[in-house]
Amino acid sequence: NTSLVSRYKADMEKKKQRRDDLLNFVLERIDGNDTVLDIGAGSGRWTIPIASTAGSVTAVEPSADMRKILCDNIDEVGMDNIDAVPFTWEDASVERHDIVVSAHAMYSSPDFESFVRKVERCARKACYLALRLPTM
């Protein structure tokens, strides 16, 4: 879907210009030797900056369209320490990593508690989950 990809890339360019305090918070806590697992990596909004700080990143992204954008973005910046995994978090079989991040990827999970428990099991040092709560 070429128009979807074009629209998404344009939107991501706008987002790159915005300050992301949460991402910056996470980046400050990553060591150059850390392995990081990014759940629901999408286009790489967090994956790519994290990979420039961490030793390696495993990006779990179930959507073929989003994974294509992610891989294109990785190629564009010339990074070779990111591995894109084509599974949902529930179906992914990944090794433990030092740090696990997930930015807004848990909304489609059928079981939030299981999602978080699996995150905890896969993190040796820390996990960072970014989520939005609806206003009441």
Side-chain angles (χ1 to χ4, degrees), residues 102-114:
S102 180
H104 310 290
M106 65 287 301
Y107 306 130
S108 62
S109 176
D111 183 350
F112 183 73
E113 182 178 353
S114 293

Side-chain angles (χ1 to χ4, degrees), residues 19-37:
R19 181 181 161 115
D20 189 333
D21 291 330
L22 186 54
L23 174 58
N24 292 335
F25 175 88
V26 172
L27 288 171
E28 290 170 1
R29 284 151 182 80
I30 295 174
D31 181 281
N33 296 317
D34 283 336
T35 60
V36 179
L37 176 62

Side-chain angles (χ1 to χ4, degrees), residues 11-130:
D11 185 50
M12 287 313 298
E13 284 304 314
K14 289 179 193 172
K15 287 181 180 179
K16 284 181 193 176
Q17 306 307 316
R18 284 191 235 144
R19 181 181 161 115
D20 189 333
D21 291 330
L22 186 54
L23 174 58
N24 292 335
F25 175 88
V26 172
L27 288 171
E28 290 170 1
R29 284 151 182 80
I30 295 174
D31 181 281
N33 296 317
D34 283 336
T35 60
V36 179
L37 176 62
D38 184 0
I39 303 164
S43 66
R45 172 74 180 96
W46 280 39
T47 311
I48 292 170
I50 288 172
S52 66
T53 302
S56 65
V57 177
T58 300
V60 177
E61 178 49 58
S63 165
D65 288 338
M66 292 307 296
R67 215 171 36 261
K68 166 84 169 92
I69 295 169
L70 170 64
C71 290
D72 288 349
N73 289 340
I74 292 167
D75 289 344
E76 189 175 305
V77 295
M79 301 196 109
D80 62 359
N81 63 336
I82 302 170
D83 182 31
V85 178
F87 297 103
T88 64
W89 178 234
E90 292 77 15
D91 295 332
S93 178
V94 294
E95 295 178 15
R96 289 183 74 203
H97 286 64
D98 296 313
I99 296 173
V100 180
V101 300
S102 180
H104 310 290
M106 65 287 301
Y107 306 130
S108 62
S109 176
D111 183 350
F112 183 73
E113 182 178 353
S114 293
F115 184 101
V116 173
R117 295 288 177 228
K118 186 173 179 182
V119 167
E120 291 175 320
R121 286 191 307 272
C122 288
R124 282 191 279 274
K125 292 166 73 175
C127 15
Y128 301 100
L129 304 176

